[in-house]
Every structure is written in C-alpha cells, then in structure tokens.
Amino acid sequence: MEHISDLAKGLYNLQPDAVKKLDGFESENYLLSAGSKKWVLKIYPFSQEKMKLLEAENNMLDHVNSYGPGAFPGLVKNVMDRGLTLSPDHRQIIRVLSYIDGEVWANVEPSPGLHRSLGAFLGRLSRILQHFNDDGIRAREIHWDLAHSLENRGLLQNIKDQEIRRLVHYFLLQYEEHVLPVRYQLRMAYIHNDANDWNVVVKDKEVIGLIDFGDAAYSFQISEVAVACAYAAMGHKNPLKVCVDVLSAYHSEFPLEPIEVDVLYHLIAARLCHSLCASWTKKAMGEDTEYAIVSEVGATSLLQQWLSINPWKARHDFQNSIGLSPGIFEAYPNPTERRKKLLSSALSISYKRPIHMLGAALQYMYDREGNTYLDAYNNIMLTGHCHPWVVEAGQRMLARLNTNTRYHYDILYDYGEQLLSMFPAGLNRVFFVNSGSAATDLAIRVAREYTGRKKVAVVQHGYHGNTQLGIDISHYKYNHKGGHGKKDFVVELDLPDTFRGKYRNTDGAGVNYAAEARELLKLHGRDLAAFIAEPIVGCGGQIPLAPGFLKALYPIVRSHGGVCISDEVQVGFGRLGHVFWGFEMHGVVPDIVVLGKPMGNGHPIGAVVTTAEIADGFANGMEFFSSFGGNPVSCAIGKAVLDVLAEEGLQTHARVVGGYLKDSLVRLAREHPSIGDVRGSGLFLGVDLIREGNGLEPGTALAGYLKNGLRDRHILLSTDGPGDNVLKIKPPLCFTRQNVDILIENMDHLLQNKSYEEKHQ
C-alpha cells in the first residue's frame, strides 16, 4: 500500500500511518488513518463522462455538507485546491473524502427505532436536496434509477433460476400496470438513490450518516423511500412493518403525496428486481464477485415474501401510517346481496364465508380485506395467476389482430403445430374452440359423424362439461341433485376405483373392471360411437382409473367400431409430472383428445385433437365454425402457455414438488387415521377422508371442516367426490416446496383439533 500512501502525501498533504484496502464496485477504495483521523481515497478509471459525473457528485456533497457537516462524506481538496486529481498518465481519477466514523447498517442489529431513524434521516436529506440543482445529475440516466425500471426486461434472460426470473418478470409487469400510468404525476427530485445496508452509517442505535453518492439521480421523490425500504426490510419476518416504520418517519420530516404512497409497494419490488437483474448479469459476464452480488440472497428472499403480501393491504398500511384515510377496506356494498340481484342461485360459491377477491399473483390470491391466500386448487391457472409471459402475449396480440379462422394468420399455424408436436404422431389434426365444454360437445359430434352411431360409454362420476350434451354424458351431473337421469344413448360403466370400488388394491383390478365393461358393451356394440373418460376422474374424487383398465378397454371399444376419447381438460399439459398427457400414464393412445381449462391459463380456449382420418370424416359438407375458437389472441396465449411450460420446466417441477407433496400427505396420513387414501400424480392429488371407526364411510364433515378451516388460515383448496369428502389439491404449477410445508403444517394443525366432530356431525 506504499504507493497509496505516497499519493495521499504528495497530492493531498495527508500523512497516513495506515492504509487498508476496502471493497469497491466501480472504484478502488482505501481507508487512510492518521491517529483518530480517517479518510477514504478512491481511484476511478479515467473517462470524460466519469469526470463530469464525479464533479456533479462533488457538487451534491458540497451542498449537503453546507447544511450540516459530518453526516455525509466531505470533499478533501488536493494541493491545487481541486476536488479531483488526474494521475500523471491521465488514466486514473483520484478523489479523497472524509470518513464517517460508525458502523454500517449491515453490521448492526436493526430495530423499529433504527428503522424510524433511517426514515427520519432520509426525510431531512430530502429537505436539504430541495434547494440543490445540478445539470449533470439531472441529465444522467443510470440503471439504478427506478424511473427506468423496465429496462431490466432486457436482462431477464441472464437470470438462470426460473423461479426468480418469473418473480422479477411478474413485478416488472406490475410496475408497468401500476407505476407507468401515473409516472408523470409523481414528483421528481434529486435523491441519494442508494440507502442500502452498506451505505447507511449507524452509531448508538441511530442513523448518523450516509455515504456513496455515486448513484445520485434526478428521479421520483418516493424512490428515496423505496430504495431504503428494499434494503431495510431484507431478512425480516414482517417486511411490511419495517417499511411502514421507515415511511412514517420519513413523512414526518418530508411530507409525501398520496399518489407517491400508492406506488410504493411496486417501487420497492422494482428496486429488488434491479438488484437481482444486476447480480445475475454480473454472473453471466463472469463477474460474480462477492461484492457485486452481496444483496442477491436477501433480495431474492424479500421478493418472495413481497409476493405473499397483498398489494392492497400494503397500500392501506402505507397510507394509514402517514395519516391518510385509505378507504380501501372501508364498508363496501354487500357482494352477496349484489350477487343475488344479478346472478342465478344455480351458480355456487366457495366456502361458508365467501371471499371477495381483488387480485392474484402466481400461487397467491388477494382479497378485499387485505388477506393473501395460498392457492392450492385453482388448476386452471396452470402456469400461475397473471403469469407475465402469458399476460404480455395476450396484450401484444390484442393490440395487433383479433379475428377468426376464416383468415390466414401465422399464430394460428404456429400454435397449432406446436400443440400437435406434444402428441403422438397419429394425432395430427386440431379443432379450436373456446372452452373445454365446447370441446367435449364437438368431440362427441365428431365421433358420431365418423362412426355413424350415437351411443356414448362413460364412467360413473365423470364430468365432461356444461353444454346440454356435456351434461347428458356426465354421470356427475345427470345422476345427482337436479339431474334428469341417464339418457338412452348413454352406456354407464362402473368407475374403476381401487379404493372404494368392487376390485381393490389388486394388480388385476383394471383388467377385471374392463372385463365387466366388455360384457356391458356387447349389448350396445352396434350403436357405440365413443367411449370417453378422464385418466383421473376429478369430480369423482381425484380417482386414477385402475391400472390396465384403459389398455384393456380401448381395444374392446374399437372392436365394436367406436372411438376412444381422452378428456384431458383437468389433467393435461404436464400437471401429472411424469407424463404430459394423462392417457400416457395408462400406456394408450386415444383417437380423440379433449382439451380446455389450463390450456389458456384462465383465458377461454379449448381444443379437440384427433387423427386426419377422423377429422376428414367430420367434413361432411356442413361447415364447422367457432366465432372465437382459434382467434389470434387465444392462440398467442395458448402458445405462451406451452412456451412457459418448456422454458420453466414446469412438468419436471410438478413431478418433483408433487412427489414431495404426496410423500408429505402420506406421512400425515400415518399420524391421522381419518386420512383413508392419498392418490393422484404430480400436482393433481386427492386426499380421501373417512370417519374413523366406520370403515370407508366418507368423512364429509371432516372434509368441510378442513376446507373452511384452511380458508380461514388463508389456504385455498376444495372438496369433491360423491361423498364430498375428498380434498382436491391441484395448485398452479409454480407451487413450491415451501408452499407444501405451509399446507401440510396447517392441515396437521386442524386435524389435531377434533372439535369438528361436535360442530359438523
């Protein structure tokens, strides 16, 4: 370090007796000591741009120190009374600053008092900077300016961890939705812009200083708070409370406007996104030094926590903390009464205490009361609620073209080819419709036209859609309350259930069920058009068809001239983990496949996939047309779903996390005899509840207790099956192992409370 000491002596008349190298990002940094006096000597690579920026930074330091020296680094002039020194070869810029004696925030134990101290300190700084002006800072555009957060979209590909990339992408989309529309209403100001845990100086449990003005910017005033909150909240169990403490203290020193507080939640997330994009980009460039990625772990953890915080609650708490009347959760017209006035009572609603939803994000949903729900059963949102890739695909196409299949457009063929590539070669024709119900209806029409026959074989408790034909072939509907019984054209087969059915837990169960079906079909063979079944019967209680059943039955159906239809509406698209389509788990290839629900991640789209021969047989001269089936927006969204499944490896994720979930449920069953069976695959699971001491009698009351008890603990799942006793667990495929642990922990807690017997029997 002798050359550093020589520079200090020769250029600044300083006489250091010790030199210590410090971490640095864009500069070399050295701590100089002479007794009790300390300075920081900084060396930067020379460029004209860097000179101008450092001059602007020096101007800001001079300004803030004129209001109260000691809280900020002071500029030490060289022997020529200049703030910047060029090295003799003009390849480096040298600068010396006074040292603020204290501990950096990263090395102290934070507390609510310290959080408030930070907010108050920054509020005072904002007051001081009201009177500052510098064209250099005003004109600069830097990556760390939250006004330019969307530039990070270009860095997303550098994030190799798919979960983190999805999180960052989601919050950038929310920035676009919530910040951009009001950006010109937000006050602009000069801000420090980097009150992170290594730049904030603490002494005696109070913030006394702030260093490193290198990222100073002319940006949103509220960004000063957002940046500070992003770092102060890292590592805390209640990050929202930390941010409230910082905000309220800041506001007491420098009053904020309501609109600034409204966007704070999204700006805090944006800063975390900045940090993660920068860190992963450094690693992609081979610059993964510890200093460059110091905040990566903390930023990742906080962003995951941030997703679980209801944005409307955050806005409410922020506004309330500065004395505003937020009004977000104030009295609202009774939605139940509005529903009764507008909708038919035939539409059911979930839970004894219905939920008024405001928004959703990936595996979470947000209600009007400020609660966040972990979603463990909305399987339609395959890739996750509001998945940014899917949302943006729909937005782009909706802004460009939306028409129908009477025209050529590339996305129709691009999506069709990509979808069919996921099937065995023989299944090479597709009809697009706008729901799974419409797909079922069309599949039966196609089968009848191709075979010239009418009858349809179904399994008990199956459900295939809400059209009249769909109801007619759905035992779950026609044989239950309000149903009108089986139509003459329906052939009803026993559900091949190995838990409650006739043949249980035997290797030959599927073959035995198929043998009985064969005898029944002999009576209807001449009129049989099709056999339709779900590979796992969802409404029947998440019951996988007995192994070997379809393999034995498909040839029987075909020998009678019928076609085999696999209803993949619930189980398809990789949800089962080890297979992409449910029929693959049974080792068969159907003649027709019905698709819907998760196909568009919540957007209404469905399809029928079949062979060229069957498709041609349907072309009898009567045109088939669906006004919305196959429209460009639907195709763009459907293609985005397939792209996300591949890019994020969600099928493998479903297998791994689903396996962990199933194993956890099996362990839970060992502790609670009321769990009679755990079944399913991947992230499509059923938990069959029984009444202890009563054989296999359905535990309907227990199922209702668990469903509503979990709802009250902010976890969503539902029940199904003939006895309404089967918990159905089929979350978005972004569900994580941590989410599994939360679900299991809460189920275990509720199962240990036996009071449900008294309350619900």
Side-chain angles (χ1 to χ4, degrees), residues 44-48 51 82 85-94:
Y44 309 83
F46 172 80
S47 71
Q48 289 292 345
M51 283 288 289
R82 295 176 182 171
T85 306
L86 280 178
S87 63
D89 59 6
H90 284 208
R91 298 174 71 175
Q92 293 178 319
I93 307 169
I94 303 166

Coordinates of all heavy atoms in Angstrom, one line a residue, residues 44-48 51 82 85-94:
Y44 N -10.6 5.9 -9.7 CA -11.5 5.5 -10.8 C -10.8 5.5 -12.1 O -9.8 6.3 -12.4 CB -12.6 6.5 -11.0 CG -13.4 6.9 -9.7 CD1 -12.8 7.9 -8.8 CD2 -14.6 6.3 -9.4 CE1 -13.5 8.3 -7.7 CE2 -15.3 6.7 -8.2 CZ -14.7 7.7 -7.4 OH -15.4 8.0 -6.2
P45 N -11.2 4.6 -13.0 CA -10.6 4.6 -14.4 C -11.1 6.0 -15.1 O -12.2 6.4 -14.9 CB -11.3 3.4 -15.1 CG -11.8 2.6 -14.0 CD -12.1 3.5 -12.9
F46 N -10.2 6.6 -15.8 CA -10.5 7.9 -16.4 C -11.4 7.8 -17.6 O -11.3 6.9 -18.4 CB -9.2 8.6 -16.8 CG -9.5 9.9 -17.6 CD1 -9.8 11.0 -16.9 CD2 -9.5 9.9 -19.0 CE1 -10.1 12.2 -17.6 CE2 -9.8 11.0 -19.7 CZ -10.1 12.2 -19.0
S47 N -12.3 8.7 -17.6 CA -13.1 9.0 -18.9 C -13.7 10.4 -18.7 O -13.9 10.8 -17.5 CB -14.2 7.9 -19.1 OG -15.3 8.1 -18.2
Q48 N -14.0 11.0 -19.8 CA -14.6 12.4 -19.6 C -15.9 12.3 -19.0 O -16.3 13.2 -18.2 CB -14.7 13.0 -21.0 CG -13.4 13.4 -21.7 CD -12.7 14.6 -20.9 OE1 -13.4 15.3 -20.1 NE2 -11.4 14.8 -21.2
M51 N -15.5 12.0 -15.3 CA -15.1 13.2 -14.7 C -16.3 14.1 -14.4 O -16.4 14.7 -13.4 CB -14.1 14.0 -15.6 CG -12.7 13.4 -15.6 SD -11.8 13.9 -14.0 CE -11.5 15.6 -14.2
R82 N -8.3 21.4 -5.7 CA -9.3 20.8 -6.6 C -9.8 19.6 -5.9 O -9.1 18.9 -5.2 CB -8.7 20.5 -7.9 CG -8.2 21.7 -8.7 CD -7.5 21.3 -10.0 NE -7.1 22.5 -10.7 CZ -6.3 22.4 -11.8 NH1 -5.9 21.3 -12.3 NH2 -5.9 23.5 -12.4
T85 N -8.4 14.7 -8.9 CA -7.0 14.7 -9.3 C -6.7 13.7 -10.4 O -7.2 12.6 -10.3 CB -6.0 14.4 -8.2 OG1 -6.3 15.3 -7.1 CG2 -4.6 14.5 -8.6
L86 N -6.1 14.1 -11.5 CA -5.7 13.2 -12.6 C -4.4 12.6 -12.3 O -3.5 13.3 -11.8 CB -5.7 13.9 -13.9 CG -7.0 14.1 -14.6 CD1 -6.8 14.8 -16.0 CD2 -7.7 12.8 -14.9
S87 N -4.2 11.3 -12.5 CA -2.9 10.7 -12.3 C -2.0 11.2 -13.4 O -2.4 11.8 -14.4 CB -3.1 9.2 -12.4 OG -3.5 8.8 -13.7
P88 N -0.7 11.1 -13.1 CA 0.3 11.7 -14.1 C 0.1 11.2 -15.5 O 0.3 11.9 -16.5 CB 1.6 11.2 -13.5 CG 1.4 11.1 -12.1 CD 0.0 10.6 -11.9
D89 N -0.3 9.9 -15.7 CA -0.5 9.4 -17.0 C -2.0 9.6 -17.5 O -2.3 9.2 -18.6 CB -0.3 7.9 -17.0 CG -1.1 7.1 -16.1 OD1 -2.0 7.7 -15.5 OD2 -0.9 5.8 -15.9
H90 N -2.7 10.4 -16.8 CA -4.1 10.7 -17.1 C -5.0 9.5 -17.4 O -6.0 9.6 -18.1 CB -4.1 11.6 -18.4 CG -3.7 13.0 -18.1 ND1 -4.2 14.1 -18.9 CD2 -2.9 13.5 -17.2 CE1 -3.6 15.2 -18.4 NE2 -2.8 14.9 -17.4
R91 N -4.7 8.4 -16.7 CA -5.5 7.1 -16.9 C -6.4 6.9 -15.7 O -7.2 6.0 -15.7 CB -4.6 6.0 -17.2 CG -3.8 6.1 -18.4 CD -2.8 5.0 -18.6 NE -3.4 3.8 -19.0 CZ -2.7 2.7 -19.3 NH1 -1.4 2.7 -19.3 NH2 -3.3 1.6 -19.6
Q92 N -6.2 7.7 -14.6 CA -7.0 7.5 -13.4 C -7.4 8.8 -12.8 O -6.8 9.8 -13.0 CB -6.2 6.7 -12.4 CG -5.9 5.2 -12.8 CD -5.0 4.5 -11.7 OE1 -4.1 5.1 -11.2 NE2 -5.3 3.3 -11.5
I93 N -8.6 8.7 -12.1 CA -9.1 9.9 -11.4 C -9.0 9.6 -9.9 O -9.4 8.5 -9.5 CB -10.5 10.2 -11.7 CG1 -10.7 10.3 -13.3 CG2 -11.0 11.5 -11.0 CD1 -12.1 10.4 -13.7
I94 N -8.4 10.5 -9.1 CA -8.2 10.3 -7.7 C -9.1 11.3 -6.9 O -9.1 12.5 -7.3 CB -6.8 10.4 -7.3 CG1 -5.9 9.4 -8.1 CG2 -6.6 10.2 -5.8 CD1 -4.4 9.7 -8.1

